[in-house]
Amino acid sequence: MTTPLRWGILGTGGIAHKFATGLSVLDDAQAVAVGSRTQAAADAFADEFNIPNRHDSYEALANDPEVEAIYIATPHPYHKDNTLLCLNAGKAVLVEKPFAINVAEAQTMIDLARSKKVFLMEAMWSRFLPTIVRARELIASGAIGEVRMLNADFGFRTNVNPKGRLFDLSLGGGALLDVGIYPLSLASMLFGAPKTIASTASIGETGADEQSAYLLGYDKGQIALLSSASRTNTAHEALIYGTDGSIRIPDWWHAQKLIVNVNGKPSETLDIPHLGKGYAHEAIEVAECLRAGKLESATMSLDESLSITRTMDTIRAQWGLKYPSE
């Protein structure tokens, strides 16, 4: 038996709760500390998840000697500074997606991690779901032939709150960074960096993108048709088309099912459950990487996170959308 990896959680919002829930189902991981901007918030979160060490500052969490790895669960514009704080304290870091607001921030984070030889990974949790892992295996085996096209969406409808993180540009508001990154990351997983990028967006009253679509082209002729929204409900499906068949993934960003169609054969449905509402698997990846002495994940590499951020920068530039911090 190995000693469970000792986690600290930086931030106490909704995504922090989801990650803590994911950790709670693992024998190989333990949440030992939480950091918040107030003692009351840290105590409430710690009481909910039975976490012993409660800190009223992020600095105190970063310097907790019992913590080996830190999950950063703060809003997008704070990812860079929070990551640098933890890396400088020598802690392995799993930073919530999007990795950073822009390429300049992402490069700064990556440079520090590599110079200090400390592990860093973007928490693109859907990348590690057993369903997505199985889809990659099927594609690698040639089950649907050469993959030529991807259709994927992630849209939901919520009420406009000018001060909320989805609509406030000072918080990195907009559907692109919140949910558009999911289909963009899926396309990156399949095809790599795009050669051409065309996009369009509906910009709302706060200046944030409320729905948008992206058409990506690649060196070998592949195409990705993607969309995201914060004011429009969409199907939440991914369709991966190959020369010999296709893979359909319902609710793909938290999927537990694959529907495989191979030309000339009956459709096959694969039910593949996940752990801890899906958030456990990225924690498993971090632990496996650290125990193998790796400084980054091959499945979600730093270079790929940088590439995806660059794609989002290009898309925003096409809309003329900038954040106050830029």
Side-chain angles (χ1 to χ4, degrees), residues 176-193:
L176 173 64
L177 265 61
D178 189 62
V179 291
I181 189 172
Y182 282 92
L184 287 168
S185 181
L186 184 65
S188 176
M189 182 190 82
L190 292 174
F191 302 133

Side-chain angles (χ1 to χ4, degrees), residues 169 173-174 176 201 203 207-209 313 315-323 326:
L169 289 184
L176 173 64
I203 305 298
D209 57 294
D313 281 3
I315 288 169
R316 285 196 296 114
Q318 292 176 356
W319 309 337
L321 193 160
K322 287 188 175 183
Y323 298 110
E326 295 182 299

